[in-house]
Amino acid sequence: METNYIQISYGQLALATLFIVVNIGLSFSLRLGLERSLGIASLRMVIQLLLVGYILQWVFTLSNPILIIVLALGMTCIAGVSSVNRTRRRFPSIYWNNFISLLSGSFLVTGIIVSGILRVQPWYEPQYLIPLLGMVLGNALTGTSLSLDRLNPNDAIRYQIVIIFAQAAGVAIATMGVVILAFLVLFNLNHQLTHLLRK
């Protein structure tokens, strides 16, 4: 099935920068002193995302499972280091323990999703494997950093539960909202279709 999407031009991208310009303007007018940090953070974000985009473009052309596994291991290493760096606690082999925990949890879950649920062929198809692993690692990273920081797992688990519930609620509200609004546009009071969906 062919997927159509609207490609964003450089002009449209430049228009989107108006959002950050408004924030910088507000900071300046309210004398918050955040203009420099907002500007630097925005520039850094643009550079990082452009680099990630070029890397992902190259990754998606790979058909070598060994290279994809090496990339996945690299992502897990970065997540492990980031997770430990978010905490104040330190003990011997903290980085190694965190890496092993993230590796086992994220690879197991991603493997089940890719091979068991989505049944991607081949299983190492980078367009599916890499983004899914990234999302799983991102959430696992939050959980492990909270766990390391608290070392009373109850607090960390509570935080993770709140985060997951918040994500689920956000997705549910947005999904239900778009379906209800689309229904109101497409159907009349007698539940008759008044507009056709266009592709």
Side-chain angles (χ1 to χ4, degrees), residues 86-126:
R86 288 184 182 186
T87 71
R88 295 173 302 231
R89 311 236 184 221
R90 291 293 180 272
F91 57 85
S93 73
I94 187 172
Y95 286 98
W96 175 249
N97 292 348
N98 203 37
F99 171 74
I100 292 297
S101 301
L102 283 170
L103 179 73
S104 56
S106 60
F107 274 50
L108 176 66
V109 170
T110 306
I112 290 170
I113 293 170
V114 169
S115 299
I117 297 172
L118 298 179
R119 298 182 181 176
V120 175
Q121 294 295 330
W123 63 266
Y124 55 85
E125 180 63 50

Side-chain angles (χ1 to χ4, degrees), residues 176-197:
M176 288 180 66
V178 76
V179 169
I180 291 167
L181 292 173
F183 181 83
L184 293 174
V185 170
L186 297 172
F187 294 89
N188 62 21
L189 293 174
N190 296 320
H191 302 287
Q192 297 169 321
L193 185 65
T194 57
H195 295 83
L196 293 176
L197 287 172

Side-chain angles (χ1 to χ4, degrees), residues 8-171:
I8 297 174
S9 68
Y10 287 112
Q12 291 168 316
L13 203 57
L15 275 176
T17 61
L18 290 176
F19 290 118
I20 198 66
V21 169
V22 167
N23 286 338
I24 291 171
L26 285 172
S27 173
F28 181 75
S29 62
L30 296 173
R31 297 179 183 171
L32 298 176
L34 299 172
E35 305 90 271
R36 181 178 164 80
S37 59
L38 282 170
I40 291 170
S42 301
L43 184 62
R44 189 174 60 210
M45 178 269 303
V46 168
I47 292 168
Q48 285 175 344
L49 286 178
L50 286 174
L51 286 172
V52 167
Y54 287 122
I55 291 168
L56 285 178
Q57 201 170 18
W58 171 73
V59 166
F60 287 170
T61 62
L62 296 177
S63 58
N64 186 330
I66 294 171
L67 288 176
I68 293 164
I69 289 171
V70 168
L71 179 67
L73 287 170
M75 290 169 60
T76 309
C77 283
I78 292 168
V81 171
S82 299
S83 174
V84 172
N85 288 344
R86 288 184 182 186
T87 71
R88 295 173 302 231
R89 311 236 184 221
R90 291 293 180 272
F91 57 85
S93 73
I94 187 172
Y95 286 98
W96 175 249
N97 292 348
N98 203 37
F99 171 74
I100 292 297
S101 301
L102 283 170
L103 179 73
S104 56
S106 60
F107 274 50
L108 176 66
V109 170
T110 306
I112 290 170
I113 293 170
V114 169
S115 299
I117 297 172
L118 298 179
R119 298 182 181 176
V120 175
Q121 294 295 330
W123 63 266
Y124 55 85
E125 180 63 50
Q127 280 186 291
Y128 295 95
L129 185 67
I130 298 302
L132 284 169
L133 178 64
M135 287 184 268
V136 172
L137 276 173
N139 284 296
L141 184 155
T142 304
T144 56
S145 64
L146 286 169
S147 298
L148 288 170
D149 208 29
R150 302 291 174 194
L151 271 182
N152 174 3
N154 289 333
D155 285 340
I157 288 168
R158 286 179 195 158
Y159 271 103
Q160 193 63 17
I161 289 169
V162 168
I163 291 166
I164 290 169
F165 283 170
Q167 289 173 339
V171 170

